[in-house]
C-alpha cells in the first residue's frame, strides 16, 4: 500500500468543535478554507511571507499556511469570521479598521486584524514601534500602512 494515511483531527473554531479528516502535512489554511468554509485566511504566498493567512491558535498569531492541521488538534483556532459571530456588531478591531479606512482591496485585512487582536491582548497600550514591529510580517500593497497604523493606535489609547 503506497497511500498516505489520513487522520481525524478535532479542534475548535470559535465556539464550534470541528472534526476533519486530513492527510499528513495538510495545512491549517487549506482545512479552514476548503473543508470548513472559513475563507478569511487568504492564500497569498504559501511560504509565511505575506501574513494574509494569519489566524490565532490558542490566542497566538500563526500563519496558517505553515501550520500542519494535525498540530492544532485539541486547540482553539480563531479566524476573522468568529470575531463577531452574531453579526450584529463588529469586534472593536474590525470597527477601528473600518473607521480608519485601513483596507482597500481587503486582502491583507484579515491577517492584519488577527495580528492586532493578538498584540492588544498581550499589550493593551503598545507604542508605535511595537505596533510596527507586530505588523511587520503582514504585507499590504494598497494602503501604505498609514490607516492601518492609525486604526491600531486608536485602540491602544
Amino acid at each position: 500500500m503506497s497511500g498516505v494515511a489520513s487522520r481525524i483531527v478535532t479542534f475548535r473554531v470559535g465556539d464550534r468543535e470541528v472534526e476533519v479528516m486530513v492527510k499528513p502535512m495538510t495545512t491549517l489554511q487549506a482545512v479552514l478554507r476548503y473543508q470548513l468554509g472559513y475563507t478569511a485566511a487568504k492564500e497569498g504566498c504559501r511560504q509565511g511571507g505575506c501574513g494574509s493567512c494569519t489566524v490565532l491558535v490558542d490566542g497566538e498569531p500563526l500563519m496558517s499556511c505553515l501550520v500542519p492541521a494535525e498540530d492544532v488538534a485539541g486547540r482553539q483556532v480563531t479566524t476573522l469570521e468568529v470575531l463577531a459571530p452574531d453579526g450584529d456588531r463588529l469586534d472593536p478591531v474590525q470597527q477601528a479598521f473600518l473607521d480608519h479606512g485601513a483596507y482597500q482591496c481587503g486582502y491583507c485585512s484579515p491577517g492584519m486584524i488577527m495580528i492586532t487582536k493578538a498584540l492588544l491582548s498581550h499589550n493593551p497600550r503598545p507604542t508605535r514601534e511595537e505596533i510596527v514591529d507586530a505588523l511587520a510580517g503582514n504585507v499590504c500593497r494598497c494602503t501604505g500602512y498609514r490607516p492601518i497604523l492609525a486604526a491600531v493606535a486608536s485602540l491602544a489609547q
Side-chain angles (χ1 to χ4, degrees):
M1 300 259 159
S2 63
V4 177
S6 294
R7 155 175 187 207
I8 294 174
V9 176
T10 303
F11 59 97
R12 296 190 70 73
V13 180
D15 61 1
R16 177 180 167 211
E17 184 171 273
V18 297
E19 186 176 275
V20 293
M21 182 72 73
V22 297
K23 291 181 179 174
M25 299 311 293
T26 299
T27 65
L28 174 59
Q29 194 248 359
V31 168
L32 289 170
R33 289 186 67 80
Y34 305 116
Q35 288 183 252
L36 299 174
Y38 294 101
T39 58
K42 303 295 186 245
E43 187 175 294
C45 66
R46 294 186 194 173
Q47 299 173 3
C50 72
S52 296
C53 66
T54 302
V55 299
L56 305 182
V57 177
D58 294 337
E60 296 300 319
L62 295 176
M63 293 182 194
S64 63
C65 73
L66 298 178
V67 177
E70 294 174 281
D71 289 0
V72 299
R75 298 175 79 186
Q76 177 70 44
V77 175
T78 305
T79 68
L80 183 71
E81 292 95 338
V82 302
L83 290 183
D86 60 11
D88 292 337
R89 187 173 202 174
L90 294 175
D91 179 88
V93 176
Q94 291 171 305
Q95 189 64 54
F97 271 61
L98 182 64
D99 293 345
H100 288 85
Y103 55 87
Q104 281 185 2
C105 76
Y107 203 82
C108 72
S109 300
M112 294 283 189
I113 289 169
M114 299 314 292
I115 286 287
T116 301
K117 287 292 291 180
L119 170 65
L120 296 173
S121 74
H122 297 297
N123 181 1
R125 304 229 186 280
T127 64
R128 179 176 170 76
E129 184 177 297
E130 290 168 327
I131 294 168
V132 169
D133 187 51
L135 297 175
N138 289 62
V139 176
C140 176
R141 291 174 176 91
C142 299
T143 68
Y145 294 95
R146 281 188 215 137
I148 294 168
L149 294 172
V152 179
S154 76
L155 294 162
Q157 296 180 11

